[in-house]
Amino acid sequence: MNADYKGFLAAHSIAMLEPIFEAVVTTNSHVQSQWNRTQIHTLFLLHNRDALTLTEIAQHHRISKQHVSNCIPAMEKAGLVVRSQRGDNKQKIYISITEKGIGEVQKVLYLTSKQISEFLTDMTDEDKEQIASCCNRLRDLLLHVLAMNGLR
């Protein structure tokens, strides 16, 4: 298997797994949170990055820049994100997460973990071990392929 194909496979696999994770997060959290799905996903996205423009956020979510732009003011007002400018380009606005926003991400992760734990209580120990083993092998494979392609 050549490196280009492995890179494609890794990227495709991650792209397939991301909606599953986001669905679990969203299913559990937005019901118990005042934030909509786009806002929660944006917080998670910003949690792992320094700062992004509205265009970059929209491209990641595969939604319109206008939709992202409509979601940001409430998050900004609540103190979850801040806008800033960098360098000489005063027209380019960056969005970054605040400590309060990180706290919201941690809350969502806790609620998601709690939901998963409740789901797992109905499973046998053997089922849990098999799922954990598969997830660990998949993660290791994907990280290895990404590393081989200089993507991680």
Side-chain angles (χ1 to χ4, degrees):
M1 195 179 308
N2 70 33
D4 288 339
Y5 181 72
K6 287 181 182 178
F8 167 78
L9 181 63
H12 184 69
S13 297
I14 290 170
M16 289 174 53
L17 292 173
E18 186 175 6
I20 295 169
F21 171 74
E22 289 180 350
V24 169
V25 169
T26 303
T27 299
N28 184 48
S29 60
H30 94 279
V31 172
Q32 300 175 7
S33 173
Q34 68 185 29
W35 310 110
N36 67 37
R37 178 181 174 151
T38 300
Q39 291 167 322
I40 290 171
H41 290 187
T42 300
L43 285 176
F44 271 82
L45 179 64
L46 293 171
H47 184 256
N48 295 314
R49 291 171 178 79
D50 181 36
L52 295 171
T53 65
L54 292 174
T55 300
E56 291 167 331
I57 294 168
Q59 288 172 343
H60 179 81
H61 293 323
R62 296 182 181 102
I63 59 176
S64 73
K65 181 179 170 183
Q66 184 62 40
H67 183 72
V68 174
S69 184
N70 291 339
C71 291
I72 297 297
M75 296 167 62
E76 191 175 20
K77 185 176 180 180
L80 302 180
V81 299
V82 293
R83 295 176 194 246
S84 63
Q85 297 173 336
R86 297 190 176 180
D88 294 337
N89 187 348
K90 301 297 181 191
Q91 293 182 354
K92 200 169 202 178
I93 304 295
Y94 289 86
I95 309 296
S96 56
I97 194 167
T98 64
E99 288 298 319
K100 188 173 180 182
I102 291 170
E104 187 68 20
V105 167
Q106 292 169 341
K107 174 184 158 189
V108 169
L109 287 172
Y110 169 77
L111 293 172
T112 302
S113 175
K114 185 176 173 185
Q115 181 184 25
I116 291 170
S117 293
E118 290 169 3
F119 172 75
L120 292 176
T121 58
D122 295 336
M123 299 177 76
T124 67
D125 288 342
E126 185 179 328
D127 290 339
K128 292 175 193 175
E129 288 175 21
Q130 190 172 10
I131 289 172
S133 175
C134 289
C135 289
N136 287 331
R137 282 187 292 173
L138 180 59
R139 181 200 66 225
D140 293 344
L141 172 66
L142 293 174
L143 290 174
H144 175 73
V145 170
L146 287 172
M148 286 178 45
N149 289 286
L151 301 173
R152 183 128 179 129

